[in-house]
Amino acid sequence: MPGKDVAEATLKAIADPVRPGDLLSSGRVSGLVVRDEGGVGLVLGVEDLARAAAQALESRIDKALKLAGFSSVRVIQTADRSDGPAPKGSAVPGVAHIIGVGAGKGGVGKSTIAVALALALKRRGLKVGLLDADIQGPSVHILLGIKERARATADKRLIPLESHGLKMLGMGVMADPDKAVAWRGPMVAGAMVQMATVADWGQLDVLVVDLPPGTGDIHLSLAQKLAPSGALVVTTPQALARADARRAVAFFEQLQVPVLGVVMNMAGMAMPDGQVLHPFGQPPADSGLGAEVIANLPLDPAVVAASDAGAPMETGAVAAGLDKVAAQIVRQLGV
Ligand SMILES: Nc1ncnc2c1ncn2[C@@H]1O[C@H](COP(=O)(O)OP(=O)(O)OP(=O)(O)O)[C@@H](O)[C@H]1O
């Protein structure tokens, strides 16, 4: 299976049609991801190319990478929006803003924080939906204690389930939740986009999307198809998790999804005698993540019990931390 070095060498061999240098040195291509199954994905900046030239370049990249041995090539064309106005709204009708919650590493509490963020936004009086985009490892329905399955309207639109004042959809509430386990990346991403777009969400102020860990097809599709207003990255203070979180921050930026902030989860654990333990290390003064740490949340055993009971906590230190995060996000998005 060809690796990232092969993809880079292939792109370096193609001259940029307008800028000096090749497709990599000119900054034309970013967000290069090579997947285990032999697929490759990248972001192609086309702001200075006419439509026909952009299409021609995309086909040239597709052909060259397939010739180099990649089984599938996914190119996302973007025009630079960095100087543009504030986000105008999502690509899902009726949904004002979409916020992705991601993490570089698994198990850092991303789904727990996605649920807690959705509840904090709801407490501010907003209409909030929650989409579990972790198609192959869904857990949001468990965290919310949902046992039913989603039904569809007569015209085949999915009806989100309602729980704890949120609307929710995800693979875990579909008729056959285990069928996605053997799906390839593009099918998984397609399922996420379908759940987001072919659902009757009604009017939502915010749709929170719990992304799978890492950087892959789902993240690319979120950026390309759903026009998210921003992303939140969750990590623990552990160096291993922070290294992956830094990659996740960089990936969102390459996809031109603004990173609204980083949540440092399990950043300390208060003992009954007042001592604070740091099982995942002390949060460093300079996180080096490339985005602002907007909350340090404690490790609270009550959160584990509440998660297992399907009754997420709406009080306590973690919920209070998320109230501050929600307030900041609402300000950033102008909701
Ligand atoms: N602040 C916290 N205090 C205590 N436990 C927590 C906290 N945040 C998350 N957890 C616990 O950590 C575990 C992992 O959380 P969660 O499933 O949300 O992580 P994740 O990053 O979404 O994992 P995955 O990558 O597998 O989807 C769960 O048992 C959860 O209850």
Side-chain angles (χ1 to χ4, degrees):
M1 215 81 79
K4 195 165 180 182
D5 49 338
V6 175
E8 283 173 351
T10 308
L11 295 166
K12 276 189 194 147
I14 303 176
D16 191 284
V18 177
R19 305 174 195 168
D22 60 68
L23 293 185
L24 282 187
S25 64
S26 64
R28 174 79 59 197
V29 166
S30 58
L32 186 65
V33 216
V34 170
R35 278 178 277 285
D36 291 345
E37 73 271 21
V40 60
L42 57 91
V43 180
L44 183 67
V46 294
E47 58 276 12
D48 52 349
L49 295 182
R51 206 185 167 122
Q55 281 315 113
L57 184 58
E58 179 175 331
S59 335
R60 186 152 177 223
I61 292 171
D62 183 88
K63 270 197 204 119
L65 287 168
K66 283 191 179 144
L67 206 63
F70 291 98
S71 54
S72 66
V73 179
R74 194 172 170 81
V75 175
I76 295 178
Q77 291 190 18
T78 60
D80 188 4
R81 298 183 315 215
S82 54
D83 296 329
K88 282 230 170 50
S90 86
V92 178
V95 176
H97 292 281
I98 292 180
I99 299 172
V101 179
K105 194 167 155 34
V108 296
K110 169 187 49 58
S111 299
T112 306
I113 299 305
V115 169
L117 172 66
L119 290 169
L121 289 164
K122 176 207 73 175
R123 288 195 290 276
R124 299 185 67 82
L126 301 178
K127 292 197 183 72
V128 185
L130 190 50
L131 174 66
D132 190 345
D134 196 345
I135 305 292
Q136 292 174 314
S139 55
V140 170
H141 64 295
I142 300 172
L143 296 174
L144 289 175
I146 298 177
K147 298 209 169 58
E148 314 113 84
R149 295 283 147 95
R151 288 177 298 109
T153 59
D155 58 348
K156 300 224 162 72
R157 298 189 71 196
L158 284 165
I159 308 170
L161 292 162
E162 300 211 16
S163 177
H164 300 273
L166 306 172
K167 290 191 173 177
M168 184 272 166
L169 271 181
M171 201 63 203
V173 299
M174 293 296 129
D176 189 359
D178 294 333
K179 93 175 165 204
V181 173
W183 286 353
R184 281 169 173 269
M187 276 178 83
V188 172
M192 186 280 289
V193 172
Q194 261 210 313
M195 281 195 289
T197 55
V198 191
D200 189 2
W201 293 104
Q203 296 293 318
L204 291 183
D205 296 302
V206 182
L207 177 64
V208 176
V209 180
D210 179 22
L211 293 160
T215 50
D217 278 323
I218 294 214
H219 305 72
L220 292 172
S221 291
L222 172 85
Q224 185 189 27
K225 305 259 168 70
L226 302 184
S229 301
L232 197 67
V233 173
V234 182
T235 183
T236 67
Q238 191 179 4
L240 205 63
R242 279 187 287 118
D244 286 353
R246 187 167 48 241
R247 274 191 283 279
V249 168
F251 188 62
F252 282 123
E253 279 170 356
Q254 283 165 350
L255 297 177
Q256 297 180 355
V257 176
V259 176
L260 303 170
V262 174
V263 169
M264 192 74 79
N265 192 24
M266 310 196 212
M269 182 174 171
M271 303 306 285
D273 64 0
Q275 206 194 340
V276 177
L277 301 184
H278 294 95
F280 294 101
Q282 292 260 13
D286 175 10
S287 75
L289 294 171
E292 189 195 350
V293 175
I294 56 173
N296 282 295
L297 304 177
L299 195 162
D300 179 358
V303 167
V304 179
S307 300
D308 286 349
M313 292 180 73
E314 298 216 45
T315 54
V318 171
L322 263 306
D323 279 330
K324 288 195 188 135
V325 171
Q328 177 157 342
I329 287 180
V330 162
R331 261 198 316 277
Q332 276 170 284
L333 299 184
V335 185

